DNA sequence: ACGAGGATGCTCT
DNA sequence: GAGCATCCTCGTC
């Protein structure tokens, strides 16, 4: 039951869990096609107390997956064009999320290039990352512990050094340093 | 390298 | 009707 460990790992506050996810991998398998990245940039969104979080004003139709168990995938359409994805963390019913913002391609790079329609800038940015991995609303509210979009532990043991900065592209709670970026990242 | 502007549609008030 | 957890292209330096 290796996923029991991952589930436990995700149960803390998002500002604590988010940097620990740096170095973890996200793998997708769609119609037998495998793609995988190393996660290198994330942001924490903390429940209703966080004015920038989709859960700030309580449960809605859109944010329902945020209230699921840790490991739940929350996908939504942003600016009418791009899908963005979060891994839900913390305890069930507590709408904590970690936005996946960037990484380095590890497997299925040709498939990522095909999905992106270009050969560079494959996985740097939340919309690009989601597109490169083929994640859509079809995967919303699935579990990253057992579904087609899977969170996998780091390949190497050890602490991943990181930098924290304010979050990007928001207009509320801009002072919180809840964007976490792996140093020595090879983001594309 | 960097900044401006446009694309585009859903969600919640 | 306002406001987006963005990305791309094209201008200028």
């Amino acid at each position: 039951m290796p996923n029991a460990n991952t589930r436990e790992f995700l149960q803390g506050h998002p500002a604590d869990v988010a940097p620990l996810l740096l170095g973890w991998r996200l793998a997708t398998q769609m119609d037998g096609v495998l793609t995988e990245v190393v996660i290198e940039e994330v942001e924490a969104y903390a429940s209703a107390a966080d004015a920038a979080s989709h859960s700030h004003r309580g449960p809605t139709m859109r944010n329902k997956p945020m209230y699921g168990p840790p490991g739940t995938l929350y996908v939504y359409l942003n600016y009418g064009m791009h899908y963005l994805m979060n891994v839900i963390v913390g305890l069930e019913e507590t709408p904590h999320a970690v936005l996946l913002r960037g990484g380095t391609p590890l497997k299925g790079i040709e498939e990522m290039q095909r999905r992106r329609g270009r050969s560079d800038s494959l996985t740097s940015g939340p919309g690009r990352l989601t597109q490169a991995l083929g994640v859509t609303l079809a995967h919303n509210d699935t579990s990253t512990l057992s579904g087609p979009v899977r969170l996998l532990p780091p390949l190497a043991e050890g602490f991943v050094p990181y930098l924290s900065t304010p979050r990007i592209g928001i207009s509320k709670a801009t002072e919180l340093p809840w964007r976490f970026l792996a140093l020595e990242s090879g983001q594309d």
Side-chain angles (χ1 to χ4, degrees), chain A residues 94-132:
Chain A
T94 306
H96 291 317
V98 175
L99 172 68
L100 305 183
R101 290 191 56 91
T104 295
L106 206 57
K107 294 180 184 171
I109 296 180
E110 289 186 1
E111 179 64 16
M112 294 187 195
Q113 292 175 332
R114 193 186 66 72
R115 287 173 180 152
R116 292 275 300 124
R118 55 196 301 151
S119 56
D120 61 347
S121 301
L122 298 177
T123 55
S124 57
R128 293 168 177 166
L129 177 65
T130 303
Q131 185 181 35

Side-chain angles (χ1 to χ4, degrees), chain A residues 151-168:
Chain A
L151 192 59
L152 301 171
L155 289 173
E157 302 270 327
F159 178 77
V160 175
Y162 64 87
L163 192 68
S164 64
T165 78
R167 294 173 292 183
I168 302 284

Side-chain angles (χ1 to χ4, degrees), chain A residues 24-113:
Chain A
W24 282 63
R25 293 167 292 152
L26 197 71
T28 68
Q29 193 155 15
M30 319 242 159
D31 298 323
V33 180
L34 184 71
T35 52
E36 183 175 320
V37 301
V38 178
I39 298 168
E40 289 175 338
E41 182 183 343
V42 296
E43 282 177 0
Y45 287 87
S47 191
D50 180 359
S53 173
H54 286 178
S55 56
H56 181 52
R57 298 191 180 271
T60 65
M61 198 70 80
R62 178 176 68 167
N63 69 22
K64 183 158 95 63
M66 298 183 81
Y67 294 82
T72 299
L73 191 69
Y74 169 43
V75 184
Y76 72 97
L77 182 64
N78 188 53
Y79 287 101
M81 274 168 276
H82 309 290
Y83 294 119
L84 272 56
M85 63 179 160
N86 297 254
V87 175
I88 300 311
V89 305
L91 300 175
E92 185 155 6
E93 301 300 329
T94 306
H96 291 317
V98 175
L99 172 68
L100 305 183
R101 290 191 56 91
T104 295
L106 206 57
K107 294 180 184 171
I109 296 180
E110 289 186 1
E111 179 64 16
M112 294 187 195
Q113 292 175 332

Side-chain angles (χ1 to χ4, degrees), chain A residues 3 6 9-10 21 24-27 39 71 87-89 100 143-153:
Chain A
N3 287 337
T6 298
F9 172 81
L10 295 173
L21 279 171
W24 282 63
R25 293 167 292 152
L26 197 71
I39 298 168
V87 175
I88 300 311
V89 305
L100 305 183
S143 175
T144 61
L145 278 50
S146 59
V149 181
R150 192 80 57 104
L151 192 59
L152 301 171

